[in-house]
Amino acid sequence: MGSGASKEGEEGGATNPDGQDDTPDGQGHASAHHDGGQLYVSLKMDKNHTLTADLVPHVFGSVPLIGSWDPSKALSMERESVSMWELSFVVPPNHETLDFKFLLKPKYSNAPCFVEEGPSRQLIGGALKEDAKLALFRLENDEVLEYKVFVKADRVSPFDLAASWRAYQENFRPSSVRWMPDVSINSAPQPGGENCSSAGLDLDLEHYVVPAPSTSANSAFVYAANMTETPRSLTSGSYSFKDGGASADRPTTIKEMEVIVPDSSKAFPTSGMVESKSVGSYSPLQRQESQRGLFVDRGVGSPRLIKSSSSNIFTHDLNLDNDTKNSMPAAAGAVAAAAVADQMLGPKEDRHLAIILVGLPARGKTFTAAKLTRYLRWLGHNTKHFNVGKYRRLKHGANQSADFFAADNPEGVEARNEVAALAFEDMVSWMHEGGQVGIFDATNSNKRRRNMLMKLAEGRCKIIFLETICNDVSIIERNIRLKIQQSPDYAEEPDFQAGLQDFKNRLANYEKVYEPVEEGSYIKMIDMVSGHGGQIQVNNISGYLPGRIVFFLVNTHLTPRPILLTRHGEIQDNVRGRIGGDAALSEAGELYKKKLANFVGKRLKSERAASIWTSTLQRTILTASPIVGFPKIQWRALDEINAGVCDGMTYEEIKKNMPEEYESRKKDKLRYRYPRGESYLDVIQRLEPVIIELERQRAPVVVISHQAVLRALYAYFADRPLQEIPHIEVPLHTIIEIQMGVTGVQEKRYKLMD
């Protein structure tokens, strides 16, 4: 009975069409009306994190209702949406007191389950005895997970209950995929048999999960700072200030520029003009139309920084001398463009760029540094992330108390300055071995530390300070808790509250001496992590690469959301091994488009602002055609790699008729360009505006495109080296879900068809 009631609400039956609580504040307060009938109870838990993919919520408690206090006999809750789990049942008239607790059970093993902390919950007459809205679970590693709890209780007359049960029984049909029950309320079967019936396509998302490649995107279980450059200078145990020549005078191209980032929380907002207070301005991103079902051709043009009448900061009219032209690499595309830009930097020391993070702890510095590193690497810039905390842990241990970080502790100050200098020396050494952009990740919270770094950089590299400022107390608290859960600094602290208090003491030590950046070249990100607009202030920034960094940071944020990548359904050219073309779907492709529409409808049913992006080729447009309820947007930038004169040929035909081209491609698939066509580097270059727009989106996006294009997009999110891009596996009829959030990037794959 519980299963029937749950599924009826899930499919839009009479109990709750939207799958949400009807109470005004969304907290699920009971509203039992004592007018007879039975009590219909709905228990819901909202998983607002991504750390428990293999833990399934259960309920156990009072024997007459739940069945047993034995955890092994607990009732499993059913997934209602991406994060919501639900269990519904009817309380008999003679037993309206329910004593219960929640627990988490591992999905794929017999490992111990985790019981909710605290006293049992009591539901008496449809009302909770205590208004406990959170369920807390302590895992084996003392990590604490929080779930929001919603309880809904309504009186249901016997007549309504019987009618609901009849509707459930009449629409109960076996699935033609796994011969397991699927329920569809008020859904008439469509002609065409099992291939055309949404009820005939399995709705269990977990059924389709397949293992992701071992070299896929970093898991949220990995602490971001540990993914940074490995220290190589700690054996020296000392450092020295190197007095180089005075750095070249940097033109004060921008004295003060403030960029106001609009609130983009609405579905498909117009990006608007981003105004400069003194010089320069940003061109608006092309407007995204919000009409449902309207196709909008986004083109391939990338938003550019516009040249101001009073400044040449963002100019694209580059006058290259002969040396620059001769030193261009043979390959075209993003890497070549980056190489040209590097040679335009001016003085030799300015060809090496150090982005120095500044900010109090728990302000998102490491997360921002990781995203920027990934973006610059993908564009072809040799970039590395140096985290001073990693140096400090390796040299002085990970169990330092808050006193170590106090400004009135001279030994601690000296030790922290020492490891900062060691990390900086490593970064500069790497630059002079061929590196281009070093991202130096530390608090750097006062002028004395920053002056030390500027002294070390003189004549060796150009410095830009990147300061992250957050005034949202809730976001800071969330980041602090993530730190305690993930940072190696607290791995040996068994008491979560003790670790929390120690970190807050550390934070207080930094706050006492914190001095905002006012010197040199800097970028300030103010409240950009909230997802509701913010400010970016830019001072004394010039050059191609710094301009692109500013543009990327303007469009980035931390709002969690999924991005789904999939190839179009199979076409006959796939079967024949022909490349390119614009063929229609095969029979298997026609089936996949229905399965995909069913999957997207189930996966994104509560995401009203989601969108579907396709290329302009008919095979992607046809694959997206059955998906309803979301706007569909066409991008020419998502078109398959242009095979030029080889379009429509098989690789065997190319090998036979164009052996030199075949061998050239075989030697270097990344840089090889088809005659009159494109290389993978060309594809990366035209995909940059797509990446920027994906970063800007706050709602889920489904990208239906082609193998080469999806290889390049996937490499960005997974931080894969450029050389690997042409060899990344992106199989047909498989969905790659990239989950972007505050803990990093995670991946899940769903294989809908063999």
Side-chain angles (χ1 to χ4, degrees), residues 282-348:
Y282 289 95
S283 62
L285 292 172
Q286 293 173 310
R287 182 170 181 172
Q288 227 171 357
E289 300 294 340
S290 60
Q291 288 87 348
R292 296 290 179 180
L294 178 65
F295 287 94
V296 182
D297 188 348
R298 296 303 300 268
V300 296
S302 172
R304 300 295 183 185
L305 294 169
I306 297 177
K307 179 179 178 182
S308 164
S309 58
S310 61
S311 168
N312 63 355
I313 175 176
F314 297 138
T315 181
H316 296 288
D317 299 323
L318 305 180
N319 297 317
L320 307 180
D321 56 28
N322 292 331
D323 291 340
T324 302
K325 291 179 180 178
N326 293 337
S327 60
M328 273 190 64
V335 173
V340 173
D342 298 344
Q343 295 165 6
M344 295 300 296
L345 286 176
K348 183 176 180 180

Side-chain angles (χ1 to χ4, degrees), residues 52 134-135 139 224 318 373 444 574 651 702 722:
T52 56
L134 285 179
L139 305 188
L318 305 180
T373 301
N444 302 312
N574 294 138
Y651 289 116
V702 180
L722 291 178

Side-chain angles (χ1 to χ4, degrees), residues 378-539:
W378 185 77
L379 286 180
H381 302 284
N382 192 359
T383 305
K384 279 191 176 179
H385 180 186
F386 294 80
N387 180 269
V388 176
K390 187 174 183 178
Y391 280 72
R392 186 249 308 155
R393 282 186 287 273
L394 289 175
K395 186 168 180 63
H396 299 288
N399 56 348
Q400 298 292 340
S401 68
D403 294 338
F404 180 81
F405 302 91
D408 56 0
N409 177 359
E411 292 82 7
V413 172
E414 181 180 357
R416 288 184 287 123
N417 284 338
E418 178 186 19
V419 292
L422 289 173
F424 199 88
E425 288 297 324
D426 273 3
M427 182 177 69
V428 173
S429 298
W430 165 79
M431 285 178 175
H432 288 274
E433 293 168 3
Q436 183 189 356
V437 183
I439 299 184
F440 189 79
D441 181 10
T443 55
N444 302 312
S445 55
N446 56 62
K447 291 181 180 179
R448 185 175 181 182
R449 163 69 72 83
R450 296 194 291 268
N451 287 336
M452 181 190 86
L453 298 177
M454 286 193 288
K455 185 72 173 177
L456 289 171
E458 281 185 355
R460 307 166 77 192
C461 65
K462 179 178 181 178
I463 280 182
I464 294 177
F465 292 112
L466 174 56
E467 184 176 15
T468 59
I469 300 172
C470 179
N471 299 306
D472 190 320
V473 177
S474 62
I475 291 178
I476 295 172
E477 183 69 21
R478 179 195 66 190
N479 290 348
I480 290 174
R481 290 181 173 272
L482 285 173
K483 279 275 191 181
I484 305 306
Q485 294 171 2
Q486 298 180 356
S487 174
D489 286 349
Y490 297 97
E492 299 179 5
E493 174 56 71
D495 188 340
F496 178 86
Q497 292 300 326
L500 185 64
Q501 186 57 51
D502 180 81
F503 188 86
K504 289 184 176 180
N505 292 339
R506 180 195 302 190
L507 180 56
N509 286 331
Y510 278 109
E511 288 174 336
K512 292 176 184 177
V513 296
Y514 185 76
E515 297 174 297
V517 175
E518 296 176 349
E519 64 272 23
S521 302
Y522 63 76
I523 304 167
K524 287 178 182 275
M525 300 178 65
I526 304 173
D527 290 329
M528 292 290 291
V529 299
S530 66
H532 299 289
Q535 293 182 356
I536 285 192
Q537 295 179 357
V538 182
N539 182 69

